[in-house]
Amino acid sequence: MEPFVLKNNSFLTIETWMEQFPGLVAGMTTKNGGTSNGSYGTLNLGFHVGDAFSDVCSNRENLSGLMEFPLNYWVGAEQTHGTFIKKVSKAERGIGATSYEQSFKNTDGFYTNEEGILLTLCFADCVPLFFIAPDSRMIGAAHAGWKGTVGKIAGQMIAAWDKEGIAPEQIFVAIGPSICEKCYIVDDRVINLVENTLEDVEGKPYNLIRDGQYSLDLREVNRQILLKAGVPNKNISITEFCSSCNHEMFFSHRRDQGRTGRMLSFIGWKETKVRL
């Protein structure tokens, strides 16, 4: 079953998680319903791609209202296709919400077990990973392009949570809208790194197209890494949405030849209202 459900013009949610865990907000934006123009039309949420700053701020404010999650509760990152993951607290919320320059540096993943923080990351083909350990109220998000994937950022999150006393069997992961195998063509260099990452996996997640060119299933690579890290297969759900194929719904860096906007992955616990 498709884990990501279109809630309105502007975003999809991980519906089964939100139904099971009251107060959780988790999902991925589309490219629709914003104020950006041209290559960034219309719901661009990335500050760093050349779009008008005022339009990005407006898009973020509007999305904040739709999700009923205040913008000053968000956190964002200067993503570098690395594997650094940051645990964030309420004291840090707002960092990266309204400014790229003031966002967390050299960061491609977040996690927290505190309410009132929305973890956000930007995407336009790379794989968004969503994590939850409901018993511990721990949630996380990671950005896995090919560099982050072969760097095992998915496994890094599992290892970080292990240090928090959370076993892999307690963790659920959703792999979100990203470029599919048909649309993602890579060279020998990338495939060699994938082979090193999955050296003891029999079924390889790529196919030779022609000499030196392969179609690569980046989502499957991440699934295999999660399995090796101890996450049960039944705890992993994978989308069928492709950022490149579904051109009416998503931005795609490859399809749009580098000049395009960014979607936003988001996950957070809403603050519990205390009744007096």
Side-chain angles (χ1 to χ4, degrees), residues 192-241:
N192 288 338
L193 290 167
V194 169
E195 287 184 329
N196 291 338
T197 302
L198 302 178
E199 57 187 351
D200 54 352
V201 174
E202 288 187 14
K204 299 302 181 184
Y206 57 84
N207 289 296
L208 179 66
I209 298 174
R210 62 186 69 88
D211 189 35
Q213 288 198 315
Y214 306 78
S215 62
L216 174 63
D217 188 345
L218 208 53
R219 295 187 284 220
E220 176 61 16
V221 180
N222 280 281
R223 189 183 75 89
Q224 292 291 346
I225 290 168
L226 289 163
L227 292 173
K228 288 177 70 175
V231 179
N233 187 52
K234 63 183 177 61
N235 289 12
I236 304 171
S237 56
I238 305 178
T239 190
E240 290 294 324
F241 285 112

Side-chain angles (χ1 to χ4, degrees), residues 23-89:
L24 181 71
V25 175
M28 184 92 172
T29 62
T30 69
K31 69 175 187 179
N32 301 315
T35 59
S36 296
N37 296 297
S39 303
Y40 311 109
T42 59
L43 189 61
N44 169 47
L45 294 157
F47 286 115
H48 62 295
V49 294
D51 193 9
F53 179 76
S54 59
D55 284 341
V56 181
C57 288
S58 174
N59 289 339
R60 286 176 171 241
E61 286 284 3
N62 292 340
L63 181 63
S64 168
L66 283 175
M67 295 193 299
E68 299 179 332
F69 216 117
L71 185 57
N72 62 348
Y73 287 11
W74 297 18
V75 294
E78 276 189 5
Q79 299 161 221
T80 56
H81 296 272
T83 59
F84 180 73
I85 297 169
K86 164 79 176 168
K87 185 179 184 182
V88 292
S89 67

Side-chain angles (χ1 to χ4, degrees), residues 2-7 10-18 24-30 45 63 67 69 74 118-123 127-132 139-142 174-177 239 241 250 263-269:
E2 172 57 52
F4 289 80
V5 177
L6 189 65
K7 294 303 291 181
S10 296
F11 62 86
L12 308 97
T13 58
I14 308 176
E15 199 66 9
T16 53
W17 287 10
M18 289 175 59
L24 181 71
V25 175
M28 184 92 172
T29 62
T30 69
L45 294 157
L63 181 63
M67 295 193 299
F69 216 117
W74 297 18
L118 192 71
L119 312 177
T120 74
L121 295 165
C122 287
F123 294 85
V127 179
L129 302 173
F130 302 78
F131 303 80
I132 186 168
I139 53 174
I175 299 176
T239 190
F241 285 112
F250 302 114
M263 290 89 68
L264 203 72
S265 74
F266 54 87
I267 185 167
W269 296 109

